[in-house]
Amino acid sequence: MAAREQHHPPLDGVELVTVLAALAEPTRLKIVRMLAARDGERAWKDIDLPIAQSTLSHHLKILRNAGLVQSRTEGTRCFISLRDGDVSERFPGLLETVLSCERGALACGDTVPADGGADAAAEAAVRSV
């Protein structure tokens, strides 16, 4: 029995709202960050998150349908990679912006002056709420 080929949509047919919806879920954003941190592809079993395999499969399907990741099967193993080049061509700067925004006290684009200390960080956190 042959492995089922995954559908990878052409990015020219993917709308921005679909990509943003896929990235809006924290677990999917973690997956994208994991893939971005590693150059190339990652084995499906190496995506180490505290979720069931069926849940991981669901999140990967949403990311794949949004055009953010692609999967490749080799024997019984499945490899996942970020379509960063394709996504950057279709939506310039989107992945870079999303990946540069760390979750935490500071909102994306906020900076803390070197002499600002904790007070400036706290003010930035309040502004981001």
Side-chain angles (χ1 to χ4, degrees):
M1 184 158 116
R4 194 175 122 216
E5 281 298 313
Q6 301 292 335
H7 171 69
H8 298 96
L11 279 177
D12 59 350
V14 175
E15 298 206 17
L16 179 61
V17 68
T18 303
V19 175
L20 293 175
L23 292 171
E25 205 284 327
T27 300
R28 291 192 289 268
L29 185 55
K30 285 180 189 176
I31 293 169
V32 169
R33 285 178 193 248
M34 284 180 182
L35 294 172
R38 183 175 203 160
D39 197 22
E41 58 190 15
R42 190 175 196 132
W44 194 90
K45 69 173 186 71
D46 292 337
I47 298 176
D48 188 24
L49 292 171
I51 56 176
Q53 287 185 355
S54 60
T55 304
L56 176 60
S57 179
H58 171 75
H59 286 305
L60 288 172
K61 179 181 178 182
I62 290 172
L63 291 170
R64 189 177 61 249
N65 289 338
L68 292 165
V69 301
Q70 63 185 16
S71 56
R72 176 181 69 83
T73 304
E74 185 177 295
T76 59
R77 297 183 67 188
C78 183
F79 298 90
I80 310 296
S81 59
L82 189 60
R83 294 177 65 182
D84 50 346
D86 295 337
V87 174
S88 292
E89 186 176 312
R90 172 80 165 110
F91 305 108
L94 175 67
L95 274 180
E96 295 84 3
T97 301
V98 168
L99 294 172
S100 69
C101 296
E102 291 297 323
R103 206 173 160 183
L106 297 179
C108 183
D110 285 343
T111 57
V112 178
D115 61 347
D119 291 336
E123 289 175 15
V126 170
R127 284 194 313 269
S128 69
V129 174

